[in-house]
Each structure stands twice: as C-alpha cells, then as structure tokens.
Amino acid sequence: MVKKIFHLVLLATISFARWASAQDKTTSDIFALSEQQLKGMVAFLGDTNLSPRCTNHDGSIRLVRPNDWTSGFFPGCLWYQYEYSNDPYWRVQAEKHTRYIVREQFNGKTHDMGFKMYCSFGNGYRLTNNKEYKEILLQSAKTLITRYNPKVGCLRSWDHNADKWQFPVIIDNMMNLELLFWATRETGDSTYYRIAYNHALTTLKNHFRADFSSYHVIGYDTATGNVLQKHTHQGLHHESAWARGQAWGLYGFTMAFRETGDESFLEMATNIARYIINHQRLPVDGVPYWDFDDPSIPNAPRDASAAAVICSALFELSGYIENEKESFLKFAEKVFLSLSSAEYLAVQGTNNYFILKHSTGHMPKNDEIDVPIIYADYYFLEAALRREKK
Ligand code: GLY
C-alpha cells in the first residue's frame, strides 16, 4: 500500500515537472503578453479616471474610484511595463493613470496609502526622478502617519466596523510601511522610520501563531495597547490561515528586513516562507487555495494573487539568506512557471485585459471569487522583473 502511494506521488511529481517545463515561459514572453493586455486595457479605459480592479459576477470589468485601495496597481503595472521595455509610450500611459489618483495623498481615512501611492508614484519616482512625485509621496507619508497610535505601537488599518474593533490592525498593513521607510531615506527625518519600525515590531509580537501562520485582524485597546481580539475578516474563520494574509506577511517582513537590517524580521520572513512552502494543503503547482484551512480543499478556489505576492517576495528573500537560498529560489521559480502556464495566464485579448486568472479577493463576502484581480498582475510583473535580475 505504502509502495503504491509512493509510486502515485512520484508519478504526479514527474508529470507536473514535465508539464511545467513544456509550458516554460521566459520573462520576455510574459512582457510581450502584458504589453498587449495593458494596451487593450488602456484603450478600454480611454480618459476615465477610474481604475480596473477585477471581473464582476456578470463578466464585466469592475472600475473603481481613486480612493479604492487597489487604485495604484494599474498605474503600477504600466510603470513596470515601462521599466521592462523603456518604451516612452508606456511612460506616457503610466504618467496619465498615475496622475488620476494624485488627491489620495491627502486621504487620511485609510491605511492603504502605500498600496495606492508607492505602487504608482513610488515606481514613477524611482524610474523618472520626477521631483513633483517626490513631494506627493512625502505628503502621502505625512498623511499616513496621522493614523499612528504610540500606545498601541501601530498604524490603524480600518475605520469601518467600529462596533467590532476599537483599533484594528491587519497583516496587510505591513505593505504600507515601505513608503515610510522611503520617506526617512529621502528627508533624513527619522519619524517615519520609527513609526514603521514600531509597527513591524508590534505586528511581529501579536499577529503570529506558534506555527508562524498569521491572524488577519488584531484589535487593540487604545488606552492600554493590549490585544482585545484576534480575528479574521477575509479568511474562513478566526483561527484559519487566509492565503493572501500569509503572503502579505512574507512580503512585508522581507521588506522590513531590507529597510532596517533587523534580524528578527528576517527570521520571521524565513519562518513564514517555510510555513507556506511546507504546507500539506499547498497544491503541487504552488498556487495556494484562498485559505489554507478551507475543508472543501481540493475543491476550494485558488488565489493567484497570493501566489504572485509570495513569488515576488521569495525572489527577494532568497537574496538575504544562505542556507535555504536554493530551496526558496526553486519554489519561487516553480510558482512563477505555474502562473505563466495556460492554467493561470490569459490568452491575449481575453480575460478582460487582465494578465492572470484565478484570484480570490473576498470569499466571505462572496465577491471576487476565482477571477482576474489587478494586484495579482502587479505582483506577477514585479516578480518577473525580480527574476530577470537574479
Ligand atoms: N488588503 C486587502 C486584501 O488583501 O484583500
């Protein structure tokens, strides 16, 4: 019996390896496809200041206003296309769609400032050195730190559901710290750095379970700084491991190590990576189900966006470690090739001009299930660029 199972597993592994190598795409294949998909999207959008987020239930493209947390990803994709191609056409398009969200620099009602502004203006500044972008980014950082509470040691994530949480902090919030680290580098003012560093330390302390999976939402008491709730909002239940949350943690602590050199952040990123890679319910292609604890696995929907974030993070993390460098790189490469296969990659001119298929945004709300979502595309293009530099 044991022998039979061993043979079955071996066969499945060999056929996956054969299938994957037959499908192998190069980085230039990916950018050739994204060029066509993005061109289609640019033409579809015309002069609207709305941004494409995902495919709706009825098959149409969901467009969102600049204040939506995902509004920076489409301009970000355009910047990555420009970075890869150096074609001035993409710079013009990226500048146009970046400009649409400029007012978000003053929006203090959300923690999503980094997602919105660093993926758009941040990439734009990195690639063009446009001084106006720098000022916009600095104002964005100033606005973001108004959400910091020194008693808690964190930036507040959401203002909604005030009846549930006094001061909610979600694991996703790690992603917004990059803007603050950048602001200290640019200005020499350590305020931004200290806030980002404290936020990461508090998250390290409170967001993780013994197995290094993370909670989605930690609710804090603003008077004492104590933890009141350990919850989920987008996962299956409070004790489950929501796949994208694990991805944000991995990416966030890798970036926090890059920015601070704090070894405890590197250790956490490494532990999260091990948790994901060795998970028994991770499919053989490395693209996770939307929640690692969904009892309907293997029939649960996948989340290609989580895979794209994990892939990009691991290309970076593998550069910081010696022992597991090869295994992390190998896994990142496997995920990249899976996402580049016909199962996940759009056929040119289809998929509502998005690049990847099969992401899951908000399962408990019955929304964005097994559809293309813009942030999957953004982190996939980022992963392709990082892979190219390896
Ligand atoms: N930051 C929200 C999400 O990951 O869906």
Side-chain angles (χ1 to χ4, degrees), residues 69 112 115 170 172 234 242 244 248 361 375:
W69 79 274
D112 289 317
F115 280 124
I170 63 173
D172 326 26
Q234 279 159 267
W242 173 52
R244 201 163 51 259
W248 293 142
Y375 43 87

Side-chain angles (χ1 to χ4, degrees), residues 29-286:
D29 293 330
I30 299 304
F31 278 98
L33 174 75
S34 61
E35 176 170 32
Q36 296 310 318
Q37 295 299 87
L38 291 171
K39 265 192 183 150
M41 190 67 93
V42 160
F44 170 80
L45 293 173
D47 289 328
T48 179
N49 71 344
L50 302 178
S51 194
R53 173 167 169 155
C54 62
T55 292
N56 283 314
H57 281 301
D58 65 5
S60 59
I61 301 179
R62 182 177 303 174
L63 298 178
V64 292
R65 290 207 291 262
N67 65 354
D68 188 273
W69 79 274
T70 64
S71 65
F73 294 119
F74 180 64
C77 288
L78 298 171
W79 283 116
Y80 282 150
Q81 193 68 36
Y82 173 60
E83 180 171 6
Y84 180 76
S85 64
N86 213 21
D87 178 343
Y89 168 84
W90 290 111
R91 178 172 173 164
V92 171
Q93 296 307 324
E95 284 173 343
K96 174 177 164 178
H97 289 272
T98 295
R99 166 88 22 216
Y100 286 144
I101 65 170
V102 66
R103 288 206 54 76
E104 288 308 299
Q105 65 184 302
F106 302 110
N107 182 356
K109 292 193 182 130
T110 155
H111 72 128
D112 289 317
M113 191 67 96
F115 280 124
K116 286 187 283 189
M117 305 306 270
Y118 204 67
C119 298
S120 55
F121 287 94
N123 277 311
Y125 180 60
R126 181 174 62 81
L127 295 170
T128 67
N129 209 26
N130 179 340
K131 293 286 176 282
E132 194 199 346
Y133 284 8
K134 178 177 162 180
E135 294 312 313
I136 292 164
L137 287 162
L138 289 177
Q139 177 57 53
S140 305
K142 263 188 209 146
T143 305
L144 179 56
I145 60 171
T146 60
R147 299 184 67 79
Y148 185 69
N149 180 317
K151 193 80 201 168
V152 174
C154 274
L155 296 150
R156 181 191 182 106
S157 293
W158 295 325
D159 294 346
H160 62 73
N161 289 105
D163 53 324
K164 274 194 200 163
W165 311 296
Q166 221 186 88
F167 191 98
V169 178
I170 63 173
I171 188 68
D172 326 26
N173 206 338
M174 284 298 297
M175 302 295 284
N176 294 308
L177 307 183
E178 199 168 0
L179 170 69
L180 301 183
F181 288 125
W182 170 89
T184 284
R185 264 205 316 282
E186 287 292 328
T187 59
D189 178 351
S190 62
T191 311
Y192 306 101
Y193 182 98
R194 279 189 287 108
I195 288 176
Y197 194 17
N198 283 345
H199 182 106
L201 284 175
T202 308
T203 303
L204 185 92
K205 192 167 119 209
N206 296 325
H207 250 90
F208 290 87
R209 306 184 182 100
D211 64 358
F212 301 107
S213 67
S214 62
Y215 290 96
H216 184 201
V217 190
I218 299 292
Y220 289 95
D221 183 330
T222 47
T224 61
N226 290 342
V227 172
L228 295 175
Q229 295 96 3
K230 296 187 171 191
H231 279 179
T232 196
H233 184 62
Q234 279 159 267
L236 183 71
H237 56 71
H238 294 331
E239 291 302 325
S240 75
W242 173 52
R244 201 163 51 259
Q246 314 314 303
W248 293 142
L250 172 63
Y251 191 115
F253 278 100
T254 302
M255 174 275 295
F257 170 70
R258 180 218 307 148
E259 296 293 342
T260 64
D262 187 321
E263 293 284 336
S264 69
F265 296 160
L266 181 64
E267 204 180 312
M268 180 52 85
T270 307
N271 281 321
I272 302 170
R274 288 189 197 125
Y275 171 84
I276 295 170
I277 294 171
N278 300 324
H279 204 291
Q280 283 182 344
R281 287 185 291 278
L282 182 75
V284 71
D285 67 3

Side-chain angles (χ1 to χ4, degrees), residues 53-54 69-70 73 115 172 175 234 242-251 276 286-292 301-314 335-336 338-339 344-345 354-363 367-383:
R53 173 167 169 155
C54 62
W69 79 274
T70 64
F73 294 119
F115 280 124
D172 326 26
M175 302 295 284
Q234 279 159 267
W242 173 52
R244 201 163 51 259
Q246 314 314 303
W248 293 142
L250 172 63
Y251 191 115
I276 295 170
V287 178
Y289 297 101
W290 76 281
D291 190 299
F292 282 100
R302 302 293 189 96
D303 183 10
S305 76
V309 174
I310 290 166
C311 181
S312 184
L314 285 179
V335 175
F336 186 82
S338 295
L339 293 177
Y344 296 96
L345 197 68
F354 291 99
I355 299 163
L356 290 180
K357 304 181 268 183
H358 303 309
S359 289
T360 297
H362 203 323
M363 185 76 158
D367 192 31
E368 298 181 311
I369 300 171
D370 196 13
V371 291
I373 304 184
I374 191 66
Y375 43 87
D377 294 0
Y378 175 85
Y379 289 103
F380 180 55
L381 293 185
E382 182 182 86

